[in-house]
Amino acid sequence: MGKSKRKFLLLPGDGIGPEVVREAKKIIEWFNKHKSLDFDVDQELIGGASIDKNKIPITDEVFYKSLECDAVVVGACGGPKWDNLEFSKKPERALLKLRKELKLFANLRPAICFKQLVDSSTLKPEVVTGLDIMIVRELTGGIYFGEPRGIEPIKNNERKGINTHTYTTTEIQRIAKTAFELAKKRKNKVTSCEKSNVMEAGVLWREEVQALKDKDFKDIELQHMLADNCAMQLLRNPKQFDVILADNLFGDMLSDEAAMLTGSLGLLPSASLGSRDKNGKMRSLYEPVHGSAPDIAGKNIANPIATILSLSMAFRYSLDLDKEADSLDQAVQLVLDEGLRTKDIISKGKKEVTTSQMGDAIISKLK
Ligand code: NAD
């Protein structure tokens, strides 16, 4: 306790973003009041809300604030109101800019199946009960960013679409290091996925991950798996995995697949992390996996748990507050144990609560 004053920047964004981030803010305020954590909390517009006021998805002022704070917590960006804007002006550009400029190369997505919600999964209870895996996805390289790219005319009135998949030793090893270090705090096992059977970049990926393990992480159990096999194994026997490491493209697919093992989008947090600077400070952004859910926005029925668990990840990974993160995770469990549910996860015999009631109930369980 008695930590020096650290800064959270809250960027609620659009749709249900403001509703779910409001609950996270209440929790930060609770920790400030009851645990003397003395967090500074700043809040700004991004996405469509920023377009409406400033004509751009994120202003320079907000961007610089995000560079200076200890952790950024985002709600969601986008919605039908801005759907017709050209790609470079859309609300979602704010997030792409933040991820790129903060150099957030590691995306962490836990897939945990809460025992209380095991029936929400489409898989059999025995397959998912107790599931706790972490997908580590490379976020700034690979085919989504590689050059050359584009669509160009070719002969006979046809066109060709081009994207380029590239990875360097440095890019592979820094994300592998993140996965190995996380595994050390978990069950010590990493499954690295690629397509080394058909892609040279996959061969390099496998070799560099293995080389780093042999050099610096001898105690980690490392398994290489073809990405398509991993997709299948995730459905067949997901509990065989601890940390799954994948590039940008395969990580995108595998993390969405893993997400669905757990049932509801409203429960899934994520963290995007950069490197540590020489003072040990790490750039980071925490956000729920879901979007702005325009269909339920403004009704106080959205599930705030994904955002609250994202805040817990911020405590754990950016602020070294493991005890506080544990206490928040446990509070969520206790509320689910009591049978409180937002509309998206309601089932027979459970009590339906609003977004703000769910936030209040979680706060009431904090110690
Ligand atoms: P979505 O995640 O917003 O919604 C998908 C479905 O899940 C909807 O039925 C929604 O009501 C439900 N849902 C999502 N979060 C929920 C929650 N917390 N509680 C209860 N139900 C929840 O995805 P979409 O409909 O494809 O996209 C809507 C908008 O969000 C689009 O403009 C899209 O571009 C944007 N989006 C933003 C992000 C982001 O900001 N990171 C991510 C995905 C989509």
Side-chain angles (χ1 to χ4, degrees), residues 298-364:
K299 297 183 178 160
N300 196 25
I301 57 171
N303 190 340
I305 292 180
T307 308
I308 289 170
L309 293 177
S310 301
L311 176 66
S312 159
M313 290 182 87
F315 283 171
R316 202 178 296 284
Y317 298 118
S318 284
L319 303 162
D320 281 328
L321 295 172
D322 282 19
K323 228 170 50 194
E324 286 75 4
D326 288 345
S327 142
L328 190 47
D329 292 349
Q330 207 192 344
V332 170
Q333 292 279 355
L334 290 171
V335 166
L336 294 175
D337 277 342
E338 278 187 358
L340 301 192
R341 304 280 188 271
T342 42
K343 202 179 181 64
D344 54 313
I345 51 171
I346 191 74
S347 59
K348 214 166 145 229
K350 306 297 176 199
K351 180 170 188 282
E352 188 170 323
V353 293
T354 63
T355 310
S356 41
Q357 284 168 338
M358 180 57 93
D360 291 341
I362 291 169
I363 288 172
S364 76

Coordinates of all heavy atoms in Angstrom, one line a residue, residues 298-364:
G298 N -26.8 2.1 -24.2 CA -27.7 3.1 -23.5 C -28.8 2.5 -22.7 O -29.6 3.1 -22.1
K299 N -28.8 1.1 -22.6 CA -29.9 0.5 -21.8 C -29.5 0.0 -20.4 O -30.3 -0.6 -19.7 CB -30.4 -0.7 -22.6 CG -31.0 -0.3 -24.0 CD -31.6 -1.6 -24.7 CE -32.2 -1.2 -26.0 NZ -32.3 -2.3 -26.9
N300 N -28.2 0.2 -20.1 CA -27.7 -0.3 -18.8 C -27.9 -1.8 -18.6 O -28.2 -2.3 -17.5 CB -28.4 0.5 -17.7 CG -27.7 0.4 -16.3 OD1 -26.5 0.1 -16.3 ND2 -28.4 0.5 -15.2
I301 N -27.7 -2.5 -19.7 CA -27.8 -4.0 -19.6 C -26.5 -4.7 -20.1 O -26.4 -5.9 -20.0 CB -29.0 -4.6 -20.5 CG1 -28.9 -4.2 -21.9 CG2 -30.3 -4.1 -19.9 CD1 -29.9 -4.9 -22.8
A302 N -25.5 -4.0 -20.5 CA -24.3 -4.6 -21.0 C -23.6 -5.3 -19.8 O -23.7 -4.8 -18.7 CB -23.4 -3.5 -21.6
N303 N -22.8 -6.3 -20.1 CA -22.0 -7.0 -19.1 C -20.7 -6.2 -18.9 O -19.9 -6.1 -19.8 CB -21.8 -8.4 -19.6 CG -21.2 -9.3 -18.5 OD1 -20.6 -8.8 -17.5 ND2 -21.3 -10.6 -18.7
P304 N -20.5 -5.7 -17.7 CA -19.2 -5.0 -17.5 C -18.0 -5.9 -17.1 O -16.9 -5.4 -16.9 CB -19.6 -4.0 -16.3 CG -20.5 -4.9 -15.5 CD -21.3 -5.7 -16.5
I305 N -18.3 -7.2 -17.0 CA -17.2 -8.1 -16.4 C -15.9 -8.1 -17.3 O -14.8 -8.1 -16.8 CB -17.7 -9.5 -16.1 CG1 -18.8 -9.4 -15.0 CG2 -16.6 -10.5 -15.8 CD1 -19.4 -10.8 -14.6
A306 N -16.1 -8.1 -18.6 CA -14.9 -8.1 -19.5 C -14.0 -6.9 -19.2 O -12.8 -7.0 -19.2 CB -15.3 -8.1 -20.9
T307 N -14.6 -5.7 -19.0 CA -13.9 -4.5 -18.7 C -13.3 -4.6 -17.3 O -12.1 -4.1 -17.1 CB -14.8 -3.3 -18.9 OG1 -15.4 -3.4 -20.2 CG2 -14.0 -2.0 -18.8
I308 N -14.0 -5.1 -16.4 CA -13.5 -5.2 -15.0 C -12.4 -6.1 -15.0 O -11.4 -5.9 -14.3 CB -14.7 -5.6 -14.1 CG1 -15.6 -4.4 -14.0 CG2 -14.2 -6.0 -12.7 CD1 -17.0 -4.7 -13.3
L309 N -12.4 -7.2 -15.7 CA -11.3 -8.2 -15.7 C -10.1 -7.6 -16.5 O -8.9 -7.9 -16.2 CB -11.7 -9.5 -16.3 CG -12.7 -10.3 -15.5 CD1 -13.1 -11.6 -16.2 CD2 -12.2 -10.7 -14.1
S310 N -10.4 -6.7 -17.4 CA -9.3 -6.0 -18.1 C -8.6 -5.1 -17.1 O -7.3 -5.0 -17.1 CB -9.8 -5.2 -19.3 OG -10.5 -6.0 -20.2
L311 N -9.4 -4.4 -16.3 CA -8.8 -3.6 -15.2 C -7.9 -4.5 -14.3 O -6.8 -4.1 -13.9 CB -9.9 -2.9 -14.4 CG -9.4 -2.1 -13.2 CD1 -8.6 -0.9 -13.7 CD2 -10.6 -1.6 -12.4
S312 N -8.4 -5.7 -14.0 CA -7.6 -6.6 -13.2 C -6.3 -6.9 -13.8 O -5.2 -7.0 -13.2 CB -8.4 -7.8 -12.9 OG -7.6 -8.9 -12.5
M313 N -6.3 -7.1 -15.2 CA -5.0 -7.4 -15.9 C -4.1 -6.2 -15.8 O -2.9 -6.3 -15.7 CB -5.3 -7.7 -17.4 CG -6.0 -9.1 -17.6 SD -6.2 -9.4 -19.3 CE -4.7 -10.2 -19.7
A314 N -4.7 -4.9 -15.8 CA -3.9 -3.7 -15.7 C -3.2 -3.7 -14.3 O -2.0 -3.4 -14.2 CB -4.7 -2.5 -15.9
F315 N -3.9 -4.1 -13.3 CA -3.3 -4.2 -11.9 C -2.1 -5.1 -12.0 O -1.1 -4.8 -11.5 CB -4.3 -4.7 -10.9 CG -5.4 -3.7 -10.5 CD1 -6.5 -4.1 -9.7 CD2 -5.3 -2.3 -10.8 CE1 -7.4 -3.1 -9.3 CE2 -6.2 -1.4 -10.4 CZ -7.3 -1.8 -9.6
R316 N -2.4 -6.3 -12.6 CA -1.4 -7.4 -12.6 C -0.1 -7.1 -13.4 O 1.0 -7.2 -13.0 CB -2.0 -8.7 -13.0 CG -1.3 -9.9 -12.6 CD -2.1 -11.2 -13.1 NE -3.4 -11.4 -12.5 CZ -3.7 -11.8 -11.3 NH1 -2.7 -12.1 -10.5 NH2 -4.9 -12.0 -10.9
Y317 N -0.4 -6.6 -14.7 CA 0.7 -6.5 -15.6 C 1.4 -5.2 -15.7 O 2.6 -5.1 -16.0 CB 0.3 -7.0 -17.0 CG -0.2 -8.4 -17.0 CD1 -1.5 -8.8 -17.4 CD2 0.7 -9.4 -16.7 CE1 -1.9 -10.1 -17.4 CE2 0.3 -10.8 -16.7 CZ -1.0 -11.1 -17.0 OH -1.4 -12.4 -17.0
S318 N 0.6 -4.1 -15.4 CA 1.3 -2.8 -15.5 C 1.6 -2.2 -14.2 O 2.5 -1.3 -14.1 CB 0.3 -1.8 -16.2 OG 0.3 -2.0 -17.6
L319 N 0.9 -2.6 -13.1 CA 1.1 -1.9 -11.8 C 1.6 -2.8 -10.7 O 1.8 -2.3 -9.6 CB -0.3 -1.3 -11.4 CG -0.9 -0.3 -12.5 CD1 -2.4 -0.1 -12.2 CD2 -0.2 1.0 -12.5
D320 N 1.9 -4.0 -11.1 CA 2.5 -4.9 -10.1 C 1.6 -5.1 -8.8 O 2.1 -5.2 -7.7 CB 3.9 -4.5 -9.7 CG 4.9 -5.0 -10.7 OD1 4.7 -6.0 -11.3 OD2 5.9 -4.2 -10.9
L321 N 0.3 -5.0 -9.1 CA -0.6 -5.1 -7.9 C -1.3 -6.5 -8.0 O -2.5 -6.6 -8.2 CB -1.7 -4.0 -8.0 CG -1.1 -2.6 -7.8 CD1 -2.2 -1.5 -8.1 CD2 -0.6 -2.4 -6.4
D322 N -0.5 -7.5 -7.8 CA -1.1 -8.9 -7.9 C -2.2 -9.2 -6.9 O -3.2 -9.8 -7.2 CB 0.0 -9.9 -7.8 CG 0.9 -10.0 -9.0 OD1 0.8 -9.1 -9.9 OD2 1.6 -11.0 -9.2
K323 N -2.0 -8.6 -5.7 CA -2.9 -8.9 -4.6 C -4.3 -8.3 -4.9 O -5.3 -8.9 -4.8 CB -2.4 -8.3 -3.3 CG -2.5 -9.3 -2.2 CD -1.7 -8.9 -0.9 CE -2.1 -7.5 -0.5 NZ -1.3 -6.8 0.4
E324 N -4.2 -7.0 -5.4 CA -5.4 -6.3 -5.8 C -6.1 -7.0 -7.0 O -7.4 -7.1 -7.0 CB -5.1 -4.9 -6.1 CG -4.8 -4.0 -4.9 CD -3.4 -4.2 -4.3 OE1 -2.6 -5.0 -4.9 OE2 -3.1 -3.6 -3.3
A325 N -5.3 -7.5 -7.9 CA -5.9 -8.2 -9.1 C -6.6 -9.5 -8.6 O -7.7 -9.8 -9.1 CB -4.8 -8.5 -10.1
D326 N -5.9 -10.2 -7.7 CA -6.5 -11.4 -7.2 C -7.9 -11.1 -6.5 O -8.8 -11.8 -6.7 CB -5.6 -12.1 -6.2 CG -4.4 -12.7 -6.9 OD1 -4.4 -12.9 -8.1 OD2 -3.4 -13.0 -6.1
S327 N -7.8 -10.1 -5.8 CA -9.1 -9.7 -5.0 C -10.2 -9.3 -6.0 O -11.4 -9.7 -5.7 CB -8.7 -8.6 -4.0 OG -9.7 -7.7 -3.9
L328 N -9.9 -8.7 -7.0 CA -10.9 -8.3 -8.0 C -11.4 -9.5 -8.8 O -12.6 -9.7 -8.9 CB -10.3 -7.3 -9.0 CG -11.2 -6.6 -10.0 CD1 -12.5 -6.0 -9.3 CD2 -10.5 -5.4 -10.7
D329 N -10.5 -10.4 -9.2 CA -10.9 -11.6 -9.9 C -11.8 -12.5 -9.0 O -12.8 -13.0 -9.4 CB -9.7 -12.5 -10.3 CG -8.8 -11.8 -11.3 OD1 -9.3 -10.8 -11.9 OD2 -7.7 -12.3 -11.6
Q330 N -11.5 -12.5 -7.7 CA -12.2 -13.3 -6.8 C -13.6 -12.7 -6.5 O -14.6 -13.4 -6.4 CB -11.5 -13.4 -5.4 CG -11.9 -14.7 -4.7 CD -11.4 -14.7 -3.3 OE1 -10.5 -14.0 -2.9 NE2 -12.0 -15.6 -2.6
A331 N -13.7 -11.3 -6.5 CA -15.0 -10.7 -6.3 C -15.9 -11.0 -7.5 O -17.1 -11.2 -7.2 CB -14.8 -9.1 -6.2
V332 N -15.4 -11.1 -8.7 CA -16.2 -11.5 -9.8 C -16.8 -12.9 -9.6 O -17.9 -13.1 -9.8 CB -15.4 -11.4 -11.1 CG1 -16.1 -12.0 -12.3 CG2 -15.0 -9.9 -11.4
Q333 N -15.9 -13.8 -9.2 CA -16.3 -15.2 -9.0 C -17.4 -15.2 -7.9 O -18.4 -16.0 -8.1 CB -15.1 -16.0 -8.4 CG -14.0 -16.2 -9.4 CD -14.3 -17.4 -10.3 OE1 -15.3 -18.1 -10.2 NE2 -13.4 -17.5 -11.3
L334 N -17.2 -14.5 -6.8 CA -18.2 -14.5 -5.7 C -19.6 -14.0 -6.2 O -20.6 -14.6 -5.8 CB -17.8 -13.7 -4.6 CG -16.5 -14.2 -3.8 CD1 -16.0 -13.2 -2.8 CD2 -16.9 -15.5 -3.1
V335 N -19.6 -13.0 -7.0 CA -20.9 -12.5 -7.5 C -21.5 -13.5 -8.5 O -22.7 -13.7 -8.4 CB -20.6 -11.1 -8.3 CG1 -21.8 -10.7 -9.1 CG2 -20.3 -10.1 -7.2
L336 N -20.7 -14.2 -9.3 CA -21.3 -15.2 -10.1 C -21.8 -16.4 -9.3 O -22.9 -17.0 -9.6 CB -20.3 -15.7 -11.2 CG -19.8 -14.7 -12.2 CD1 -18.7 -15.2 -13.1 CD2 -21.0 -14.2 -13.1
D337 N -21.0 -16.7 -8.2 CA -21.5 -17.8 -7.3 C -22.9 -17.5 -6.7 O -23.7 -18.4 -6.5 CB -20.5 -17.9 -6.1 CG -19.3 -18.7 -6.4 OD1 -19.4 -19.5 -7.4 OD2 -18.3 -18.6 -5.7
E338 N -23.1 -16.2 -6.5 CA -24.4 -15.8 -5.9 C -25.5 -15.8 -6.9 O -26.7 -15.6 -6.5 CB -24.3 -14.4 -5.3 CG -23.6 -14.4 -3.9 CD -23.7 -13.0 -3.3 OE1 -24.2 -12.0 -3.9 OE2 -23.2 -12.9 -2.1
G339 N -25.2 -16.1 -8.1 CA -26.2 -16.2 -9.1 C -26.6 -14.9 -9.8 O -27.6 -14.8 -10.5
L340 N -25.8 -13.8 -9.6 CA -26.2 -12.6 -10.3 C -25.7 -12.7 -11.8 O -24.5 -13.1 -12.0 CB -25.6 -11.4 -9.6 CG -25.9 -11.2 -8.1 CD1 -25.5 -9.8 -7.7 CD2 -27.4 -11.3 -7.9
R341 N -26.5 -12.2 -12.7 CA -26.2 -12.3 -14.1 C -26.7 -11.1 -14.9 O -27.8 -10.7 -14.6 CB -26.8 -13.6 -14.8 CG -26.5 -14.9 -14.1 CD -25.1 -15.4 -14.6 NE -24.9 -16.8 -14.1 CZ -24.4 -17.1 -12.9 NH1 -24.0 -16.2 -12.1 NH2 -24.2 -18.4 -12.6
T342 N -25.9 -10.6 -15.8 CA -26.5 -9.6 -16.7 C -27.2 -10.4 -17.8 O -27.1 -11.6 -17.9 CB -25.3 -8.8 -17.4 OG1 -24.2 -9.6 -17.7 CG2 -24.9 -7.6 -16.5
K343 N -28.0 -9.7 -18.6 CA -28.9 -10.3 -19.6 C -28.2 -11.3 -20.5 O -28.8 -12.3 -20.9 CB -29.5 -9.2 -20.4 CG -30.8 -9.6 -21.1 CD -31.4 -8.3 -21.8 CE -32.7 -8.6 -22.5 NZ -33.8 -8.9 -21.6
D344 N -27.0 -11.0 -20.9 CA -26.3 -11.9 -21.9 C -25.9 -13.3 -21.4 O -25.7 -14.2 -22.1 CB -25.0 -11.2 -22.4 CG -24.1 -10.8 -21.3 OD1 -24.6 -10.2 -20.3 OD2 -22.9 -11.1 -21.3
I345 N -25.9 -13.4 -20.0 CA -25.5 -14.7 -19.5 C -26.5 -15.2 -18.5 O -26.3 -16.2 -17.7 CB -24.1 -14.6 -18.7 CG1 -24.1 -13.4 -17.7 CG2 -23.0 -14.5 -19.7 CD1 -22.9 -13.4 -16.8
I346 N -27.8 -14.7 -18.6 CA -28.8 -15.1 -17.7 C -29.2 -16.6 -18.0 O -29.2 -17.0 -19.2 CB -30.0 -14.2 -17.8 CG1 -31.0 -14.4 -16.7 CG2 -30.7 -14.2 -19.1 CD1 -30.6 -14.0 -15.3
S347 N -29.5 -17.3 -17.0 CA -30.1 -18.6 -17.2 C -31.2 -18.9 -16.1 O -31.3 -18.1 -15.2 CB -29.1 -19.7 -17.2 OG -28.4 -19.7 -16.0
K348 N -31.9 -20.0 -16.2 CA -33.0 -20.2 -15.3 C -32.5 -20.3 -13.9 O -31.5 -20.8 -13.6 CB -33.6 -21.6 -15.7 CG -35.1 -21.6 -15.5 CD -35.7 -22.8 -16.2 CE -36.9 -23.3 -15.3 NZ -36.8 -24.7 -15.1
G349 N -33.3 -19.6 -13.0 CA -33.0 -19.7 -11.6 C -32.0 -18.6 -11.1 O -31.6 -18.5 -10.0
K350 N -31.4 -17.8 -12.1 CA -30.4 -16.8 -11.7 C -31.1 -15.4 -11.7 O -32.2 -15.3 -12.3 CB -29.3 -16.8 -12.8 CG -28.6 -18.1 -13.0 CD -28.0 -18.6 -11.7 CE -27.4 -20.0 -11.9 NZ -27.2 -20.8 -10.7
K351 N -30.5 -14.5 -11.0 CA -31.1 -13.2 -10.9 C -30.5 -12.2 -11.9 O -29.3 -12.0 -11.9 CB -30.8 -12.7 -9.5 CG -31.4 -11.3 -9.2 CD -31.4 -11.0 -7.7 CE -32.2 -9.7 -7.4 NZ -31.6 -8.5 -7.6
E352 N -31.4 -11.6 -12.7 CA -30.9 -10.6 -13.7 C -30.6 -9.3 -13.1 O -31.4 -8.8 -12.3 CB -31.9 -10.5 -14.8 CG -31.3 -9.7 -16.0 CD -32.2 -9.7 -17.2 OE1 -32.8 -10.8 -17.5 OE2 -32.3 -8.7 -17.9
V353 N -29.4 -8.7 -13.4 CA -29.0 -7.4 -12.9 C -28.6 -6.5 -14.0 O -28.2 -7.0 -15.1 CB -27.9 -7.5 -11.8 CG1 -28.3 -8.2 -10.6 CG2 -26.6 -8.2 -12.4
T354 N -28.6 -5.2 -13.8 CA -28.2 -4.2 -14.8 C -26.6 -4.1 -14.7 O -26.0 -4.7 -13.9 CB -28.8 -2.9 -14.5 OG1 -28.2 -2.4 -13.2 CG2 -30.3 -2.9 -14.4
T355 N -26.1 -3.3 -15.7 CA -24.7 -3.1 -15.7 C -24.2 -2.5 -14.4 O -23.2 -3.0 -13.8 CB -24.4 -2.1 -16.9 OG1 -25.0 -2.5 -18.1 CG2 -22.9 -1.9 -17.1
S356 N -24.9 -1.5 -13.9 CA -24.4 -0.8 -12.7 C -24.6 -1.7 -11.5 O -23.8 -1.6 -10.6 CB -25.0 0.6 -12.6 OG -26.4 0.6 -12.9
Q357 N -25.7 -2.4 -11.5 CA -25.9 -3.3 -10.3 C -24.8 -4.4 -10.3 O -24.3 -4.8 -9.2 CB -27.2 -4.1 -10.4 CG -28.4 -3.1 -10.0 CD -29.8 -3.7 -10.4 OE1 -29.9 -4.6 -11.3 NE2 -30.8 -3.3 -9.7
M358 N -24.3 -4.9 -11.5 CA -23.3 -5.9 -11.5 C -22.0 -5.2 -10.9 O -21.3 -5.8 -10.1 CB -23.0 -6.4 -12.9 CG -21.9 -7.4 -13.1 SD -22.1 -8.9 -12.1 CE -23.0 -10.0 -13.1
G359 N -21.7 -4.0 -11.4 CA -20.5 -3.3 -10.9 C -20.6 -3.1 -9.3 O -19.6 -3.4 -8.6
D360 N -21.7 -2.7 -8.9 CA -21.9 -2.5 -7.4 C -21.7 -3.8 -6.6 O -21.1 -3.8 -5.6 CB -23.3 -1.9 -7.1 CG -23.4 -0.5 -7.6 OD1 -22.4 0.2 -7.8 OD2 -24.6 0.0 -7.8
A361 N -22.3 -4.9 -7.2 CA -22.2 -6.2 -6.5 C -20.7 -6.6 -6.4 O -20.3 -7.1 -5.4 CB -23.0 -7.2 -7.3
I362 N -20.0 -6.4 -7.5 CA -18.5 -6.8 -7.5 C -17.8 -6.0 -6.4 O -17.0 -6.5 -5.7 CB -17.9 -6.7 -8.9 CG1 -18.5 -7.7 -9.8 CG2 -16.4 -6.8 -8.9 CD1 -18.2 -7.6 -11.3
I363 N -18.1 -4.7 -6.4 CA -17.5 -3.8 -5.4 C -17.8 -4.3 -4.0 O -16.9 -4.3 -3.1 CB -17.9 -2.3 -5.6 CG1 -17.2 -1.8 -6.9 CG2 -17.5 -1.4 -4.4 CD1 -17.7 -0.4 -7.3
S364 N -19.0 -4.7 -3.8 CA -19.4 -5.1 -2.4 C -18.6 -6.4 -2.0 O -18.6 -6.7 -0.8 CB -20.9 -5.4 -2.4 OG -21.2 -6.7 -3.0

